[in-house]
Amino acid sequence: MTTAFEVRGLVKRYGGRRQGVEALRGVSLRGAPGELVGLLGPNGAGKSTTVKCLAGLVRPTAGEATLLGRPAREAGARRALGYVPEGPRFPAYLTAAELLDREGRLHGLERPVRRERTARLLERVALAEGVWTRRVGTYSKGERARLALALALVGDPRVLLLDEPTDGLDPVGRRLVRDLLVALRAEGRAVLLNSHLLSEVEACCDRVVVLDRGAVRAEGAPGAFLAGGQVVYRARLASPLGAAALAALAARFPGLRGDGVELLAPLPDLEAVDPLVDALRAAGASLRELRPQATLEDALLTLLGAGAPPGAAPGPAAPEGAA
């Protein structure tokens, strides 16, 4: 697999070896062109430190971080990078258009190119209205989040590192950013998304990497996390089942419960779904809907609540070719 960004054996210690903090403990992950990778984990797991090492802002104690095969701290490698930090800040007296124009100058773009790209990017993040006169100091938190994403795209990057890019956005803004990330992936860009909004990660990421206490705990497609362990399925029936039929189903499928029209059935794996459907039909039920209740948040909480030390319990298998 062609690699757009990668960290291998990344270690980061703050302070002395004995009394310092070990933020990263051998983290390895990578992303390919046209791939959107989600980075998940609790506060203090090392997500932002990993992103900053890839951005060349933090020097690792050990291991290496590369962009397009080059060390991440090299200026040439960073030219291919777009970066959105957590909680971005901007000079309050400038307009959004002035900020993007200044960023374009840093990238060596000619004035006509800067003006065209500024207008196009601000339109793309829904900030076109008033950008030529309105000062950034008047922007809401959500507007600043969208401006940060536009700034990250000025240099037409091949790799995007996004540290909580939807923080402060309302549902409409989150949907806009999510659609934009999917479009950027379709353009062949590699995206690493660090976000605590698991629904956003579940909706748009090809692959998820879970960090816990500075180590990779699990990796795989979002759906793979839902396939491990028990998943609760919700069945909706056209008409209610009688008490006797419900009791017979509960005896065959431990934990099944419901009012006869809506049933909740914990199943050990996907192979148990067909027997459940067969049993419902044999009981005379007309099935309207059957879907898993579990979400990526449920799976993540189960994984991190297992109590095993980082790296001790393998998570869902990574897809073929993944780090």
Side-chain angles (χ1 to χ4, degrees):
M1 180 177 71
T2 303
T3 301
F5 62 82
E6 183 174 13
V7 297
R8 293 187 294 271
L10 212 60
V11 174
K12 180 59 184 177
R13 298 188 190 94
Y14 294 97
R17 179 179 292 272
R18 291 186 177 181
Q19 297 182 343
V21 174
E22 195 169 39
L24 300 178
R25 301 195 289 160
V27 170
S28 295
L29 61 87
R30 63 181 174 178
E35 185 179 29
L36 212 167
V37 180
L39 193 57
L40 300 179
N43 291 337
K47 304 185 301 296
S48 290
T49 302
T50 299
V51 172
K52 289 175 181 176
C53 286
L54 268 170
L57 299 175
V58 169
R59 187 186 297 274
T61 306
E64 58 181 339
T66 60
L67 298 170
L68 303 175
R70 304 176 65 177
R73 293 183 63 85
E74 282 188 6
R78 289 201 295 257
R79 291 192 186 98
L81 175 67
Y83 172 56
V84 174
E86 183 178 8
R89 297 178 180 273
F90 312 106
Y93 58 88
L94 295 177
T95 67
E98 288 169 340
L99 275 170
L100 265 70
D101 184 76
R102 185 175 69 171
E103 187 74 13
R105 289 200 305 271
L106 292 174
H107 283 279
L109 303 179
E110 298 293 334
R111 183 173 181 178
V113 176
R114 297 200 307 269
R115 190 170 182 86
E116 182 278 330
R117 192 167 296 182
T118 292
R120 175 166 50 83
L121 289 175
L122 291 174
E123 180 79 29
R124 201 169 188 184
V125 298
L127 285 176
E129 186 176 353
V131 296
W132 308 103
T133 57
R134 187 178 165 203
R135 304 298 171 184
V136 172
T138 68
Y139 277 28
S140 68
K141 188 175 183 181
E143 287 173 323
R144 292 196 299 271
R146 284 182 277 144
L147 174 57
L149 188 53
L151 281 166
L153 294 171
V154 169
D156 195 23
R158 295 169 61 186
V159 178
L160 280 164
L161 305 178
L162 311 178
D163 201 350
E164 301 288 0
T166 56
D167 186 33
L169 289 176
D170 59 19
V172 174
R174 290 200 299 272
R175 178 61 180 268
L176 182 150
V177 170
R178 186 174 70 218
D179 290 347
L180 178 56
L181 295 183
V182 171
L184 293 169
R185 174 183 60 191
E187 294 168 5
R189 305 177 204 268
V191 183
L192 180 63
L193 171 63
N194 172 24
S195 177
H196 67 278
L197 294 174
L198 302 188
S199 60
E200 300 299 310
V201 172
E202 188 174 5
C204 67
C205 287
D206 303 297
R207 190 157 47 87
V208 171
V209 178
V210 179
L211 296 187
D212 185 23
R213 290 169 285 180
V216 174
R217 186 67 178 275
E219 179 177 356
F225 285 77
L226 304 184
Q230 273 199 342
V231 176
V232 177
Y233 280 79
R234 179 184 293 274
R236 187 186 299 273
L237 309 181
S239 57
L241 284 176
L246 278 176
L249 284 169
R252 183 174 175 185
F253 299 95
L256 184 142
R257 62 194 185 278
D259 59 6
V261 175
E262 284 199 1
L263 307 177
L264 295 177
L267 300 180
D269 51 46
L270 294 176
E271 293 181 358
V273 172
D274 284 342
L276 174 64
V277 173
D278 292 341
L280 287 169
R281 288 174 175 167
S286 176
L287 192 60
R288 288 272 183 88
E289 180 185 26
L290 181 66
R291 59 185 176 86
Q293 282 290 99
T295 64
L296 184 58
E297 181 177 8
D298 298 326
L300 185 65
L301 289 173
T302 299
L303 174 69
L304 297 179
E320 184 177 356

